[in-house]
Amino acid sequence: MNPKYLYRTLRFLLVVGVVVFSLLAFFYVSKVTYPFLIAIAIAFMINPLVNFFEKKAKMPRALAVVVALIILIAVFAGLVTLLVAEVVSGANYLAKVVPQHLDTLINYIETYFTAQIIPLYNQLSSMFKQLGTGQQDTIISNIQNVGKTIGSTVGDFIKNLFGNIPNFFSWIPNAATVLIFSLLATFFISKDWHRFTAMGGRLLPKKAQTSGRTVFIDLKKALFGFIKAQLTLISITTVIILIGLLILRVDYAITIALLTGIVDIIPYLGTGAVFVPWIIYEAIGGNMGLAIGLGILYIIVLVQRQVMEPKILSSSIGLDPLATLIALFVGFKLFGFLGLIIGPVTLVIINTLYRAHVFHDLWTYIKGKEA
């Protein structure tokens, strides 16, 4: 075998091994260091605000970090308070309205059961009695198997539900501990941000510094662009829902629109978590006009989300619309609704590494010096 190709193969395997080892090491190390990874992310996000206070307001770096963290916590607490207030307001409204609708639903079920189910049962019972003994035994056996399956499924669900309650309460102290460590680490990392960046500059080679700087700038742009895109999509969804609910003359339209807009960002839920049960309830309750109106509004929200998401994401994070659409589809197929986030993020990382000539440098290393 030609030594040149042998060396290239060995260098290729070395690169693959280093990449795989780095990914595995990051995966396992992150399990015990994730509070500090969260702290790095928070410090990175508040760094522009800290620099502003430090330079414009002439604050010491430590005081600027404290003020930025207080503002961040205050904004988060304010949003949570607003959300809780809206939920309490909506709950009070539902406490007044739901009993009336529940009576209507019960009356509808009673009427339907009397008019449809009982005659159907009598008809099936007469047909069952006309069957042979073997056929009757087969049907009874199948019904028993279905009942056992449903019973075991419901039993497992209830068992898992109540079994996870202690896990939830045990998670609360852990979450509080993680929050405290993350905030403390954020303070120290942000306070010494310039020292850490200078230390990294001394440790890394010149070539790695140049590539790393390019990757850092592009990822920073993509991160804030991604956040901006998601906020834009949520805002558009909220406005469309608000306009639709006002046209349908639904009470508490602003509260419902805000809550639905927030739910829209949650994977596996989306606006369907609000609209689908609502539409079914209104249809069963006999309010077909509102059910049809909500269905049309839901379709409009779904269509605009699918149409606008690739365009807004591509313009916000600097990617080609077709590549973004492909990343969304592939991510959805591989990871479900969570892939709608993983896909574009992966595409951003690949594009950033390409622009930083990382792939070119690796290929040059694999090829080696030409004879």
Side-chain angles (χ1 to χ4, degrees), residues 33 53 59 89 104 139 157 165 167 178 180 211 260 279:
T33 61
F53 287 139
M59 291 183 181
S89 176
T104 304
I139 293 175
F157 173 77
I165 291 177
N167 296 333
V178 170
I180 293 172
S211 300
T260 309
I279 293 170

Side-chain angles (χ1 to χ4, degrees), residues 75-147:
V75 170
F76 180 77
L79 292 175
V80 172
T81 303
L82 177 62
L83 179 61
V84 170
E86 293 293 341
V87 170
V88 170
S89 176
N92 291 331
Y93 169 73
L94 292 175
K96 298 177 183 178
V97 175
V98 166
Q100 303 173 3
H101 290 290
L102 190 59
D103 292 337
T104 304
L105 179 61
I106 292 174
N107 292 331
Y108 174 81
I109 293 174
E110 290 176 350
T111 304
Y112 182 82
F113 192 87
T114 304
Q116 302 292 334
I117 302 299
I118 292 179
L120 179 62
Y121 170 77
N122 292 331
Q123 184 179 0
L124 292 175
S125 178
S126 63
M127 293 174 61
F128 179 76
K129 292 177 181 179
Q130 297 174 2
L131 297 174
T133 305
Q135 293 174 323
Q136 291 181 0
D137 292 340
T138 302
I139 293 175
I140 293 174
S141 176
N142 290 333
I143 292 175
Q144 289 175 345
N145 291 333
V146 171

Side-chain angles (χ1 to χ4, degrees), residues 32-54:
V32 294
T33 61
Y34 63 92
F36 305 99
L37 297 177
I38 295 173
I40 293 173
I42 297 175
F44 171 72
M45 295 182 66
I46 68 172
N47 193 54
L49 185 60
V50 174
N51 291 336
F52 174 81
F53 287 139
E54 185 181 17

Side-chain angles (χ1 to χ4, degrees), residues 151-223:
S152 62
T153 303
V154 174
D156 291 339
F157 173 77
I158 295 175
K159 180 180 177 181
N160 293 331
L161 178 64
F162 286 101
N164 288 327
I165 291 177
N167 296 333
F168 173 75
F169 285 106
S170 64
W171 172 82
I172 294 177
N174 180 64
T177 304
V178 170
L179 179 62
I180 293 172
F181 273 92
S182 296
L183 290 176
L184 289 174
T186 300
F187 172 77
F188 291 114
I189 292 172
S190 185
K191 183 175 72 71
D192 297 325
W193 182 269
H194 299 301
R195 182 170 67 86
F196 288 135
T197 53
M199 184 186 303
R202 290 193 299 268
L203 295 175
L204 294 175
K206 203 70 176 178
K207 180 65 177 178
Q209 290 184 38
T210 304
S211 300
R213 191 176 297 110
T214 304
V215 172
F216 178 80
I217 293 173
D218 284 358
L219 286 179
K220 180 179 179 181
K221 177 184 175 183
L223 172 64

